[in-house]
Amino acid sequence: LSTMWHRIMSTSRFKLISISAIFVLSVIYFLSVFQSPATSRAFSKSTNNCLVSFGEYNGPRYKSPGQTIGEGKCLVESKWMRVMQHTVNLGSDAKNLIDDWLFVDYHDRINVLVQAPHTSTMDGPHFLVFKQSKYALEGRDSLAVIGGIIEPGEDPETAARREVNEEMDGLVCDTLEFLGRYRTDVNRGIGWVNGFLAKDCESSAVGDRGDKDESRNGADEVGKPDTERQDLVSISLGELKKNAREGKFLEVQWSNTVALALLHIEDS
């Protein structure tokens, strides 16, 4: 009996030591993984019951009437977006209940194709576009129209005029033709895009980048950190059609805005 008891105690002691070692190693691993400033900041500033937060999201929040069940679970958020886990009912049958539907709440945006101010050297209408690169374009350059986030408190047209003024060094356009409002992804959301064609434009000494509205706190602008290299170019109507046809506007919302603007131009 004494020998058996000794064996039992030795085995129990070994298990206890093993469990303790695993626990200590797990704590060390956890601290090493989550010691980065960005990750620590994300966990220390979680808001709105979001599992991970890199800043509070204050944009539109979507629920489909009759389909979204409950409030959903916020998985991760930043000032740009939040990723939600929705429970979605696609029919009366319980088999159509999906409890892991990932949905992205994202700020609504504007896209603007700008017609250049007319000069005596122009042979027909010209348009101002950017040649630029973006993080997700695989290192490629693309032609682009003006794009930006609709900041809290703005309507789409106000945001469009502000972005044109900021991005084109004080350009002011009398006419903004609305091209429509389009969902980025019909299943996962990612905001709505409002397209515009800006016409009757001229440069203004007031309102250029150095004279922005001081009532707006630049640090609070959601779109402010989205910096990129971009070169402004002027192209003819024929060149615009050619570039659109050849897929030179690599983002789908840019190509959509250009195609819709071309239809409006042809009908006018």
Side-chain angles (χ1 to χ4, degrees), residues 172-267:
V172 176
C173 302
D174 290 338
T175 304
L176 256 67
E177 294 185 11
F178 183 56
L179 305 177
R181 177 175 178 260
Y182 302 91
R183 178 58 102 173
T184 307
D185 188 297
V186 294
N187 281 321
R188 306 302 171 189
I190 321 179
W192 294 82
V193 179
N194 299 265
F196 292 90
L197 170 62
K199 302 167 65 176
D200 306 317
C201 305
E202 62 180 15
S203 297
S204 172
V206 179
D208 62 13
R209 296 189 187 200
D211 297 321
K212 287 177 62 177
D213 182 3
E214 296 298 333
S215 65
R216 182 179 298 278
N217 185 352
D220 293 333
E221 286 189 38
V222 179
K224 187 176 179 62
D226 186 24
T227 57
E228 71 278 324
R229 179 194 63 78
Q230 56 185 24
D231 301 314
L232 184 63
V233 295
S234 175
I235 59 177
S236 68
L237 177 59
E239 291 171 323
L240 181 66
K241 292 180 179 179
K242 181 175 183 292
N243 285 314
R245 186 168 53 249
E246 294 178 353
K248 296 300 180 63
F249 294 87
L250 294 180
E251 188 178 62
V252 65
Q253 61 184 358
W254 296 337
S255 57
N256 178 66
T257 298
V258 170
L260 290 168
L262 287 172
L263 290 175
H264 275 242
I265 292 168
E266 288 181 359
D267 291 342

Side-chain angles (χ1 to χ4, degrees), residues 29-56 74-78:
Y29 175 76
F30 180 87
L31 292 176
S32 66
V33 170
F34 293 103
Q35 68 180 353
S36 69
T39 308
S40 300
R41 184 170 63 252
F43 278 88
S44 64
K45 292 187 177 181
S46 294
T47 58
N48 299 328
N49 298 318
C50 202
L51 295 180
V52 179
S53 177
F54 294 93
E56 186 174 1
C74 180
L75 303 179
V76 60
E77 70 171 347
S78 72

Side-chain angles (χ1 to χ4, degrees), residues 61-64 67-75 82-89 98-105 187:
R61 302 169 186 227
Y62 181 78
K63 293 174 65 177
S64 179
Q67 289 188 305
T68 308
I69 309 300
E71 297 299 320
K73 179 188 295 183
C74 180
L75 303 179
R82 68 172 189 166
V83 179
M84 296 291 297
Q85 179 183 347
H86 284 180
T87 298
V88 177
N89 186 6
I98 302 174
D99 61 3
D100 59 352
W101 190 291
L102 296 185
F103 191 88
V104 181
D105 285 325
N187 281 321

